[in-house]
Amino acid sequence: GGPQDYVRLYHNQEKIDGRYDARFKDDMKAWGLEYQKNWEINDNNTLISGLSLHREIIKEENNGSLNRSADTSSLYLEDNWKLGQGWSTNLGTRWENHSDFGSDFTSHIGVNKELSKATYAYLSWGQAVNNPTLKMRYANTAFWAGNPDLKQEKSQTWTIGVNSKLSEATEVAASYYYSKVKDALDWVWTDKTRYYNVDNEDRRGLNLTLRHQFSPQWGVRLGYTYAKVSESGSTWHYLSRKNNQPNRYLIGVGYKQDKWVADLTFQHVSGRNMGANAFLDNKYTTLDMVVNYHCDANTKVYLKGYNLTNESYESIATWAGYYMAPGRSFVLGVQHDF
């Protein structure tokens, strides 16, 4: 097979026993199989095909019992085609069947144009289906009530962008996206967390990045992202969490020398429509770092530092301050690949 051919089997499990209440037990399991096969039609045309099978089970005890499962299977086919004169396309379609929601087809198409040896532009359109989770539909705890009538979230997204290598040391990229979402999934807190469907949701955003390598050892990256979400029939205090980072500015400095690799990331977020709670600031600034020392090809020692500015802010923007981000913290560890 080709370099992108693979078969993957996986199994995940998460158990919770009495986290909030001695009577509360939660056991979530997932099994899956993924297979991908590439077919080289000729030097300019490649087909990518694949299938996936996924099964999830949730068992929960909380003044009652919950035992639910869902199966998802899918097939997909994509054609990557170089048309000549700098043009290329990728077209694909996916069939997915969910044991509760039935079958759906989603497709995508992308067009790329090489404007020069250093610059290319692209335009794409794609469909997507997002199934509500079993927890969203059937949760039964003191804090979360499921909604078995939830519908699938269905979207269409348009993206346009350009990437350019200005020199051997400098790269820039810019892109803009717009998504139209039907039956978007959202949640509200009353006496419990409850999920519901929004009739329509618009998502749009802009991404700008610049990377520059000053030397073999030192490099910098600059970034700005803008994101906005608007919903039909929503109020600002619930919608605010989806506009969690309306304006995000990033400065990253990287260092690599011999066995050392390090990175320092400065991030500033502004424009959040929050309230007066201590953790609901309209803006915040964080500084993160990671330092790696590679003892050999398979072993490294690392030190990670998060929120070095010890900023108080909400990691998921809501109107009530439920999701305070962790303060300054450090992780020291060793990673070895066998």
Side-chain angles (χ1 to χ4, degrees), residues 211-213 215-221 251-266 287-294 300-305 308:
R211 294 177 180 270
H212 181 74
Q213 197 71 27
S215 69
Q217 293 80 27
W218 291 96
V220 66
R221 65 188 188 281
I251 301 175
V253 179
Y255 174 80
K256 185 176 182 180
Q257 176 70 44
D258 299 326
K259 297 183 178 182
W260 293 93
V261 179
D263 189 83
L264 190 68
T265 302
F266 168 90
L287 186 65
D288 301 322
M289 73 164 193
V290 58
V291 179
N292 298 290
Y293 178 77
H294 293 263
K300 72 176 180 179
V301 179
Y302 60 85
L303 173 65
K304 298 180 180 180
L308 300 181

Side-chain angles (χ1 to χ4, degrees), residues 5-240:
D5 295 351
Y6 65 83
V7 177
R8 182 181 298 131
L9 293 168
Y10 61 87
H11 169 64
N12 301 315
Q13 184 170 10
E14 177 183 289
K15 282 190 175 183
I16 302 174
D17 193 346
R19 176 180 291 179
Y20 304 110
D21 188 316
R23 296 163 297 180
F24 175 56
K25 295 182 179 180
D26 190 63
D27 186 4
M28 293 182 287
K29 301 177 183 178
W31 292 269
L33 165 67
E34 297 177 352
Y35 170 71
Q36 180 172 293
K37 174 66 177 177
N38 291 264
W39 312 84
E40 292 188 5
I41 307 302
N42 52 49
D43 291 341
N44 296 318
N45 200 348
T46 302
L47 287 177
I48 303 173
S49 61
L51 66 87
S52 66
L53 304 172
H54 178 80
R55 179 175 178 80
E56 56 181 328
I57 300 174
I58 179 170
K59 295 182 180 179
E60 190 173 89
E61 293 181 13
N62 185 52
N63 296 321
S65 60
L66 170 65
N67 189 344
R68 294 280 182 170
S69 65
D71 296 297
T72 307
S73 54
S74 65
L75 298 170
Y76 63 87
L77 182 66
E78 180 173 315
D79 185 13
N80 294 332
W81 191 7
K82 296 179 182 179
L83 303 174
Q85 296 184 332
W87 291 93
S88 62
T89 65
N90 58 82
L91 306 92
T93 190
R94 176 187 177 93
W95 171 83
E96 180 178 288
N97 181 267
H98 190 281
S99 53
D100 294 333
F101 295 106
S103 298
D104 291 282
F105 279 96
T106 55
S107 300
H108 67 269
I109 180 171
V111 179
N112 299 267
K113 170 60 176 174
E114 186 179 278
L115 304 177
S116 69
K117 291 295 183 181
T119 304
Y120 70 90
Y122 57 90
L123 175 66
S124 66
W125 167 85
Q127 299 171 306
V129 173
N130 181 29
N131 299 311
T133 66
L134 289 173
K135 292 284 282 185
M136 292 178 185
R137 298 166 63 203
Y138 302 115
N140 180 27
T141 72
F143 307 98
W144 192 348
N147 179 1
D149 297 324
L150 286 175
K151 301 175 184 177
Q152 295 170 301
E153 184 179 80
K154 298 184 177 183
S155 64
Q156 298 187 56
T157 301
W158 293 261
T159 305
I160 186 171
V162 60
N163 290 3
S164 182
K165 190 169 184 177
L166 302 181
S167 68
E168 286 299 318
T170 307
E171 296 181 19
V172 295
S175 64
Y176 175 83
Y177 69 86
Y178 172 75
S179 292
K180 191 80 173 179
V181 187
K182 181 181 178 183
D183 295 322
L185 295 166
D186 206 344
W187 59 268
V188 63
W189 172 269
T190 52
D191 56 325
K192 299 181 179 182
T193 294
R194 301 173 190 272
Y195 275 82
Y196 65 98
N197 289 108
V198 178
D199 287 340
N200 291 289
E201 181 177 280
D202 292 338
R203 305 171 185 172
R204 65 198 69 199
L206 173 70
N207 296 282
L208 303 173
T209 60
L210 182 148
R211 294 177 180 270
H212 181 74
Q213 197 71 27
F214 289 101
S215 69
Q217 293 80 27
W218 291 96
V220 66
R221 65 188 188 281
L222 306 176
Y224 169 74
T225 61
Y226 166 79
K228 183 176 181 180
V229 181
S230 56
E231 293 181 345
S232 60
S234 180
T235 54
W236 72 268
H237 52 273
Y238 298 127
L239 182 60
S240 61

